[in-house]
């Protein structure tokens, strides 16, 4: 059988070095579960047995490897169907191991045999589902897995294992009853007892009274003439347990030699190979749930693309026809898409626009595209070029507990200060309605200071805000940070169609604060003309 290092095989990491690096914390970005939760990813990609953040990587080689895996899963539906069949079998093995004991008794013998059966079943599922694809797999991961499974199934050892299992299964399954012998003393009291034989037939209840009266004990060795007392109708559980324990002890003696040889088979081969599959369980769940998400988006007619991965130092982010997948799965109408580009003319954007105009949606969409790229998934866009980030920081509206002590503004500033303590030029920062807890003058001042700091760091950032007057400060901030190498700041605007209707289009333009104010005033009837109409109507009544 071909050599296969199953201890270092992964469907998410291309080699042992990348696995070791991930476990050592290398190329692991600061993208935690809290951040992913704020972006809304767990809502559309829920995992029951793992943390989504544990799969995030900043290694371009790992990302490309996973992209090949997902390409195969999306183009070969049989992979998902096969893994869906395999996962319950592996969970059965885990549960069996949890319940196992090491006493070397019959139940241990039977559970070990059951584990062998489940292991063979899992290998057969993989072989039948994956090893004869209609079209060759494009990625190395499933090709390697199939080569291993195919070589295993076609090996002499696997055939011998199946034969041995069949023999032992038959031996156990054919046991239907045992014959128990009891020697009596002169007063007909039990003096000795033991198992005389293991039988392939069950005993049959007979007409006990008739047999006793005729004293015919030789008619049929498989016909019962009297029940043993502990299994009578009126006996206690303790009495039944006493007989069961005595019986099990005797059966264990019968199978003790078989137990030793069987355990050797399990420990030297099957446990090792089963561990290989059990170690892949978290990966199977992640791959299945991620593929389900991408397929659901495609079914609704939404585009997905394989992002081109650039070096982290380039800080690239180009997304054409980007959309928010969480929103796309909820709405029935075609999703509005937008282009978002971080370049040498803008590494930071101040996004303004009307309430419910799509500011938060597009801000999260940028974070989701970044996170999905670093999970190895396809991106909800028509085209994307993205560099891995060493961290994603979010500062969204929250009801944190310490607002009681610090006040809302103090809590917001404390969170912003924490971001600056960990940020780098390769980070992505997403601020949504930050500093909304204070007056416009104070908020604009602090926001300008924060933007200047972010510019100096050189990170990518979107600052979604209601502070439309902040746009007037952008030129001053750029003039302040440009001499020290700060990245340029530009503005984005959530568009409005005629009559104040939201278009949800995000435009790279200068904001017009008055138009948003007019829109809001008109919505609530607070323009001068509407107010006059209301007053006139009331006075007329």
């Amino acid at each position: 059988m071909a050599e296969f290092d199953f201890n270092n095989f992964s469907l998410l990491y291309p080699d042992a070095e990348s696995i070791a690096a991930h476990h050592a914390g290398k190329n692991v970005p600061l993208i935690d579960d809290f951040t992913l939760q704020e972006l809304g990813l767990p809502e559309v990609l829920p995992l029951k047995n793992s943390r989504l953040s544990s799969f995030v990587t900043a290694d371009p080689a790992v990302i490309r490897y996973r992209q090949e895996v997902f390409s195969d899963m999306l183009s070969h539906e049989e992979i998902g169907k096969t893994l869906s069949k395999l996962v319950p079998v592996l969970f059965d093995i885990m549960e069996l191991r949890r319940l196992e004991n090491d006493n070397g008794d019959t139940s241990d013998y039977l559970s070990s045999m059951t584990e062998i059966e489940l292991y063979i079943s899992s290998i057969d599922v993989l072989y039948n589902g994956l090893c004869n694809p209609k079209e060759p797999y494009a990625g190395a991961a499933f090709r390697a897995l199939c080569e291993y499974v195919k070589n295993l199934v076609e090996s002499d050892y696997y055939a011998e294992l199946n034969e041995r299992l069949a023999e032992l299964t038959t031996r156990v399954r054919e046991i239907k009853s045992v014959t128990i012998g009891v020697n009596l003393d002169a007063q007909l009291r039990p003096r000795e007892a033991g198992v005389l034989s293991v039988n392939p037939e069950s005993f049959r209840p007979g007409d006990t009274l008739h047999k006793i009266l005729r004293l015919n004990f030789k008619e049929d060795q498989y016909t019962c003439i009297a029940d043993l007392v502990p299994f009578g109708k009126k006996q206690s559980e303790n009495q039944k347990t006493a007989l069961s324990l005595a019986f099990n002890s005797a059966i264990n003696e019968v199978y003790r030699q078989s137990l030793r040889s069987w355990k050797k088979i399990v420990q030297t081969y099957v446990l090792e190979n089963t561990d290989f599959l059990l170690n892949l369980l978290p990966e199977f769940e992640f791959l299945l749930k991620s593929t389900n998400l991408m397929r659901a988006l495609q079914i609704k007619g939404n585009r997905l693309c394989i992002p081109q991965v650039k070096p982290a130092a380039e800080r690239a982010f180009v997304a054409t026809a980007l959309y928010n997948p969480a929103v796309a799965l909820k709405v029935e109408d075609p999703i509005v898409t937008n282009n978002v580009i971080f370049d040498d003319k803008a590494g930071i954007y101040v996004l303004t626009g009307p309430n419910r105009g799509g500011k938060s949606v597009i801000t999260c969409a940028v974070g989701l595209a970044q996170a999905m790229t670093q999970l190895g998934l396809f991106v909800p866009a028509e085209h994307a070029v993205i560099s891995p980030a060493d961290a994603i920081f979010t500062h969204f509206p929250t009801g944190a507990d310490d607002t009681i002590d610090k006040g809302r503004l103090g809590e917001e500033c404390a969170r912003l200060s924490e971001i600056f303590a960990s940020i780098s030029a390769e980070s992505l920062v997403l601020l949504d309605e930050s500093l909304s807890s204070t007056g416009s003058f104070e908020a604009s001042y602090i926001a300008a200071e924060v933007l200047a700091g972010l510019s100096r760091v050189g990170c990518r950032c979107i600052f979604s805000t209601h502070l439309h007057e902040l746009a007037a400060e952008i030129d001053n901030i750029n003039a302040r940070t440009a001499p020290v190498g700060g990245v340029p700041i530009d503005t984005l605007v959530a568009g409005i169609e005629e009559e104040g209707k939201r278009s949800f289009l995000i435009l790279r333009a200068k904001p017009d604060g008055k138009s948003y104010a007019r829109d809001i005033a008109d919505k609530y009837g607070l323009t001068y003309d509407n107010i006059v109409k209301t007053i006139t109507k009331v006075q007329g009544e």
Side-chain angles (χ1 to χ4, degrees), residues 350-355 359 433 440 444 465-474 491 493 511-517 520:
V350 174
L351 170 58
T352 57
N355 292 333
K359 298 194 303 294
E433 296 295 354
S440 176
S444 295
T465 179
H466 66 291
L467 301 171
H468 306 295
E469 61 272 25
L470 184 61
E473 292 296 315
I474 298 301
T491 55
V493 177
D512 176 9
K514 292 182 180 179
S515 66
Y516 307 129
I520 296 171

Side-chain angles (χ1 to χ4, degrees), residues 2 17 75 84 162 170 198 224 242 254 276 341 352 357 375 382 387 412 419 468 480 491 499:
E17 289 74 18
S75 59
S84 295
N162 273 278
T170 300
V198 178
C224 177
V254 174
F276 150 65
I341 302 173
T352 57
L375 286 168
E382 187 175 305
S387 295
E412 287 194 283
I419 290 175
H468 306 295
R480 179 181 176 186
T491 55
E499 299 180 356

Side-chain angles (χ1 to χ4, degrees), residues 284-302:
F284 291 154
E285 183 189 25
F286 170 70
L287 291 172
L288 283 170
K289 292 294 182 64
S290 298
T291 302
N292 289 343
L293 167 60
M294 292 186 288
R295 203 181 297 282
L297 289 168
Q298 289 179 328
I299 289 173
K300 292 200 70 172
N302 299 295

Side-chain angles (χ1 to χ4, degrees), residues 175-390:
I175 299 175
K176 302 299 181 183
S177 67
V178 297
T179 301
I180 298 176
V182 181
N183 291 327
L184 307 176
D185 61 14
Q187 283 75 40
L188 298 182
R189 293 175 301 191
R191 179 166 50 86
E192 297 171 315
V195 175
L196 302 183
S197 65
V198 178
N199 309 314
E201 296 181 35
S202 300
F203 73 79
R204 296 177 292 275
D207 186 342
T208 305
L209 180 61
H210 176 72
K211 285 185 173 291
I212 290 178
L213 291 175
R214 292 177 53 196
L215 295 180
N216 183 359
F217 298 105
K218 299 181 181 180
E219 183 177 294
D220 187 345
Q221 61 178 328
Y222 290 112
T223 300
C224 177
I225 64 172
D227 291 332
L228 284 175
V229 172
F231 288 101
K233 294 182 179 180
K234 297 183 179 181
Q235 305 307 315
S236 69
E237 288 299 320
N238 287 340
Q239 290 174 308
K240 294 179 182 179
T241 301
L243 182 61
S244 294
L245 290 173
F247 170 75
N248 287 338
S249 177
I251 291 297
N252 289 340
E253 286 297 323
V254 174
Y255 284 100
R256 192 170 300 281
Q257 187 59 41
S258 294
L259 280 168
R260 291 195 189 100
S261 61
W262 184 252
K263 275 305 228 185
K264 186 176 181 181
I265 293 175
V266 174
Q267 291 171 350
T268 57
Y269 178 78
V270 176
L271 289 181
E272 195 173 47
N273 282 270
T274 306
D275 284 342
F276 150 65
L277 290 174
L278 293 179
N279 289 338
L280 292 177
L281 254 177
E283 297 188 4
F284 291 154
E285 183 189 25
F286 170 70
L287 291 172
L288 283 170
K289 292 294 182 64
S290 298
T291 302
N292 289 343
L293 167 60
M294 292 186 288
R295 203 181 297 282
L297 289 168
Q298 289 179 328
I299 289 173
K300 292 200 70 172
N302 299 295
R303 291 190 177 184
L304 292 169
C305 73
I306 301 176
Q308 182 182 352
V309 182
K310 290 289 187 178
E314 291 189 19
R315 293 174 287 177
F317 190 101
V318 177
T320 304
L322 176 70
Y323 62 92
N324 188 314
V327 175
L329 290 175
K330 292 179 180 178
V331 300
E332 296 302 325
D333 297 330
I335 192 75
V336 175
T337 64
N338 287 285
N339 300 334
V340 178
I341 302 173
F342 292 94
D343 53 25
D344 55 3
K345 295 181 180 180
I348 297 173
Y349 286 107
V350 174
L351 170 58
T352 57
N355 292 333
R356 304 184 64 84
K359 298 194 303 294
S360 298
V361 170
I362 195 63
T363 301
C364 285
V366 170
L368 287 168
Q370 187 72 49
M372 291 172 74
T373 295
Q374 294 188 231
L375 286 168
L377 278 67
F378 295 3
V379 167
E382 187 175 305
H383 173 73
V385 179
I386 298 176
S387 295
D390 63 2

Side-chain angles (χ1 to χ4, degrees), residues 5 33 84 92 116 130 169 206 209 258 287 328 393 430 447 468 540:
D5 186 10
D33 289 305
S84 295
D92 285 344
I116 295 283
L130 299 184
T169 301
L209 180 61
S258 294
L287 291 172
F393 297 100
L430 303 171
H468 306 295

